[in-house]
Amino acid sequence: MIARLALFTFGVFAKPADDPANEGFHVRNDPILAAVPQAEGFIAHSGYPDEPGPEMWGDYVFPKFYEERGDGWTPQTLSLWQDLESAMAFAYQGLHAEALRHGREWFEPPQWPPYAVWWVAGDHTPTWSEACAKHLQLHEHGASEQVFTFKQPFGPDGKPVALDGQKIKQIAARNAERLSGTSMVG
């Protein structure tokens, strides 16, 4: 069975979600979410409570690092990708990379991993609970064949792998071409 890559991202706003300090995040969020399905190697992503779009993958829960402050939410994503290089090309190029450069303006400095990746069977869709458990496992035990980062990646066979930098550049270039009509915010 073909494996797919699950990617979970998580951050905590430094100020309440609707604070004007987070406006830069909010104006980038919708264009980024609109760009993801057009990215090479993207398979699917979970929806969110009370929002139109894809179905949620299980109950919407947060990692243990999230402390409710009356916002009711904090930015997190859960998606499936064909491979490591496709996920990395989207995350570190284009609109999403531009937003990452501004992350310190919006988010608390993380005392936890900002993301976690792991392989799932081709017929398995990860849930939010599974993602939070993998995130915690990465935080407590570090990268392993069960959950890891782009800096310490593992292949579907559980063996450490090296990312293909040339493939990432090629995918990023094709994504840039594909997304050239997407508005860039500054």
Side-chain angles (χ1 to χ4, degrees):
M1 185 171 299
I2 296 176
R4 304 182 299 176
L5 187 77
L7 170 61
F8 173 71
T9 65
F10 172 73
V12 174
F13 284 127
K15 298 191 175 195
D18 60 356
D19 190 283
N22 297 323
E23 183 177 344
F25 171 85
H26 294 298
V27 300
R28 288 167 176 84
N29 192 50
D30 285 346
I32 289 169
L33 291 178
V36 174
Q38 299 174 57
E40 184 173 321
F42 171 79
I43 296 170
H45 67 86
S46 176
Y48 299 95
D50 304 320
E51 289 188 18
E55 183 178 320
M56 274 197 336
W57 297 346
D59 292 335
Y60 192 66
V61 296
F62 298 100
K64 77 173 207 162
F65 309 102
Y66 174 65
E67 293 179 27
E68 174 58 51
R69 300 181 215 165
D71 294 351
W73 75 285
T74 195
Q76 61 180 4
T77 66
L78 178 56
S79 57
L80 286 169
W81 296 82
Q82 290 176 353
D83 54 46
L84 284 158
E85 288 83 3
S86 295
M88 189 164 182
F90 182 81
Y92 295 103
Q93 300 293 325
L95 289 169
H96 193 266
E98 192 272 336
L100 287 175
R101 287 191 292 275
H102 292 277
R104 289 188 185 111
E105 298 170 24
W106 313 312
F107 297 109
E108 290 183 1
Q111 304 300 312
W112 56 84
Y115 68 92
V117 289
W118 68 99
W119 294 102
V120 298
D123 62 350
H124 178 72
T125 301
T127 64
W128 288 104
S129 293
E130 177 184 345
C132 290
K134 291 287 188 181
H135 185 251
L136 183 60
Q137 180 182 353
L138 179 64
H139 174 72
E140 291 181 345
H141 304 288
S144 71
E145 69 279 357
Q146 296 172 351
V147 61
F148 46 91
T149 66
F150 293 121
K151 290 180 182 178
Q152 294 180 284
F154 287 79
D157 62 359
K159 295 180 180 164
V161 296
L163 292 171
D164 184 338
Q166 187 61 30
K167 182 178 178 182
I168 292 168
K169 287 178 185 174
Q170 291 168 347
I171 293 169
R174 288 190 295 269
N175 283 346
E177 229 175 88
R178 191 179 284 138
L179 300 170
S180 63
T182 306
S183 143
M184 183 71 135
V185 289

